[in-house]
């Protein structure tokens, strides 16, 4: 039996009771305005955290793949790998961020880094989630770049292109296609992780639902509404990513 048939089989009293609950939860005291504001905060933090994560993550991936400066190579003993400070910095960053909980990083940013500063909680949450996501995005980009055959770089150089030009026009377009599904999964995880920003009293939809529960003493409607909202966002993003992947594959076939 499908979900729609189950819902259709409910008695009129069930729907009347549900309508009263929804009215008492959202319509009374205009609580639907709270919820819409919380939804706006969730979407704002998610969008800018994703953008920050992609930018910083790409830079970290390039740092991991960079070569040691010639001065370090000159000082290195034969047979040993030259020390690369960029790779070391990126490795330390990735180890710390990936090895500690997101909630702890969020609290550290709010209570330590920005303690006493008049900074928006939304901005703090955006920076915390974006820099956290960057560590995972960096590994995704690095794996995607390494998945491209080394002969692609050699072919580009043989055609007179510089290393940066080959990376930009040959390697990266192929790498992005390879990592797109993994990036999509990371974006989905990030959106759901923003639900913990209530720890710093940022009023996203999860925090707003908690406030509504405290007002109404009824947890079912607020929590179910919040869960459905996240589900719709995730399904919509998944649909867009699948559509984008299909268009990229179609473009490859035409080419």
């Amino acid at each position: 039996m499908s979900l729609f048939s189950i819902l259709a089989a409910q008695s009129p009293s069930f729907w009347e009771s549900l309508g009263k609950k929804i009215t008492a939860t959202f319509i009374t005291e205009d609580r639907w305005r709270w919820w819409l504001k919380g939804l706006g905060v969730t979407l704002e933090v998610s969008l800018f955290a994703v953008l920050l994560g992609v930018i910083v993550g790409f830079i970290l991936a390039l740092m991991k793949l960079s070569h040691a400066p010639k001065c370090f190579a000159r000082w290195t003993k034969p047979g040993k790998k030259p020390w690369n400070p960029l790779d070391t910095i990126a490795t330390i960053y990735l180890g710390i961020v990936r090895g500690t909980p997101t909630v702890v990083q969020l609290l550290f940013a709010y209570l330590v880094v920005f303690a006493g500063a008049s900074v928006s909680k939304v901005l703090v949450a955006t920076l915390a989630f974006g820099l956290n996501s960057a560590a995972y995005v960096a590994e995704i980009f690095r794996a995607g770049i390494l998945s491209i055959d080394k002969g692609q770089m050699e072919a580009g150089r043989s055609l007179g292109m510089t290393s940066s030009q080959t990376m930009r026009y040959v390697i990266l377009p192929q790498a992005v296609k390879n990592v797109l599904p993994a990036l999509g999964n990371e974006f989905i995880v990030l959106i759901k992780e923003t639900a913990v920003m209530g720890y710093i009293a940022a009023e996203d939809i999860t925090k707003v639902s908690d406030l509504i529960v405290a007002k109404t003493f009824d947890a079912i409607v607020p929590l179910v509404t919040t869960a459905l909202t996240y589900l719709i966002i995730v399904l919509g993003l998944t649909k867009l990513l699948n559509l984008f992947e299909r268009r990229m594959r179609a473009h490859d076939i035409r080419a």
Side-chain angles (χ1 to χ4, degrees), residues 34-48 121-123 125-126 194 197 201-205 207-208 230:
W34 305 0
W35 189 84
L36 285 179
K37 184 178 179 181
L39 176 60
V41 171
T42 295
L43 295 177
E44 180 182 359
V45 171
S46 299
L47 174 61
F48 288 105
K121 297 172 184 176
V122 173
L123 177 59
T126 300
T194 60
M197 75 174 82
E203 295 186 356
D204 66 319
I205 53 175
K207 181 64 176 178
V208 168
Y230 278 111

Side-chain angles (χ1 to χ4, degrees), residues 12-63:
S13 60
F14 168 80
W15 295 109
E16 182 180 355
S17 175
L18 180 61
K20 289 180 179 180
K21 280 191 174 184
I22 294 175
T23 300
T25 301
F26 292 108
I27 305 302
T28 304
E29 298 181 6
D30 288 339
R31 296 193 191 105
W32 60 274
R33 296 181 184 272
W34 305 0
W35 189 84
L36 285 179
K37 184 178 179 181
L39 176 60
V41 171
T42 295
L43 295 177
E44 180 182 359
V45 171
S46 299
L47 174 61
F48 288 105
V50 164
L51 294 176
L52 179 62
V54 169
I55 294 172
V56 177
F58 180 70
I59 294 173
L60 289 171
L62 294 182
M63 292 171 65

Side-chain angles (χ1 to χ4, degrees), residues 72 81 172:
F72 290 104
K81 183 180 179 181
L172 286 181

Side-chain angles (χ1 to χ4, degrees), residues 161-173:
M161 302 173 67
T162 64
S163 296
S164 59
Q165 288 175 331
T166 306
M167 177 65 72
R168 178 180 178 183
Y169 296 110
V170 179
I171 305 298
L172 286 181

Side-chain angles (χ1 to χ4, degrees), residues 22 25-26 31-32 34-43 46 191-198 202-214 216 218-235:
I22 294 175
T25 301
F26 292 108
R31 296 193 191 105
W32 60 274
W34 305 0
W35 189 84
L36 285 179
K37 184 178 179 181
L39 176 60
V41 171
T42 295
L43 295 177
S46 299
I191 291 171
K192 292 187 293 185
E193 281 184 345
T194 60
V196 302
M197 75 174 82
E203 295 186 356
D204 66 319
I205 53 175
T206 305
K207 181 64 176 178
V208 168
S209 68
D210 187 42
L211 295 175
I212 294 176
V213 170
T216 62
D218 183 7
I220 296 179
V221 174
L223 293 181
V224 170
T225 303
T226 300
L228 289 175
T229 302
Y230 278 111
L231 180 62
I232 292 171
I233 294 173
V234 169
L235 291 178

Side-chain angles (χ1 to χ4, degrees), residues 228-245:
L228 289 175
T229 302
Y230 278 111
L231 180 62
I232 292 171
I233 294 173
V234 169
L235 291 178
L237 179 59
T238 302
K239 187 72 174 178
L240 289 175
L241 289 171
N242 290 338
L243 179 61
F244 186 58
E245 286 183 55

Side-chain angles (χ1 to χ4, degrees), residues 69-100:
K70 293 182 179 180
C71 59
F72 290 104
R74 191 181 304 118
W75 297 337
T76 304
K77 294 181 180 180
K80 290 189 176 182
K81 183 180 179 181
W83 178 58
N84 185 353
L86 294 179
D87 177 45
T88 302
I89 293 172
T91 300
I92 293 173
Y93 180 87
L94 297 182
I96 293 175
V97 173
R98 297 175 70 188
T100 55

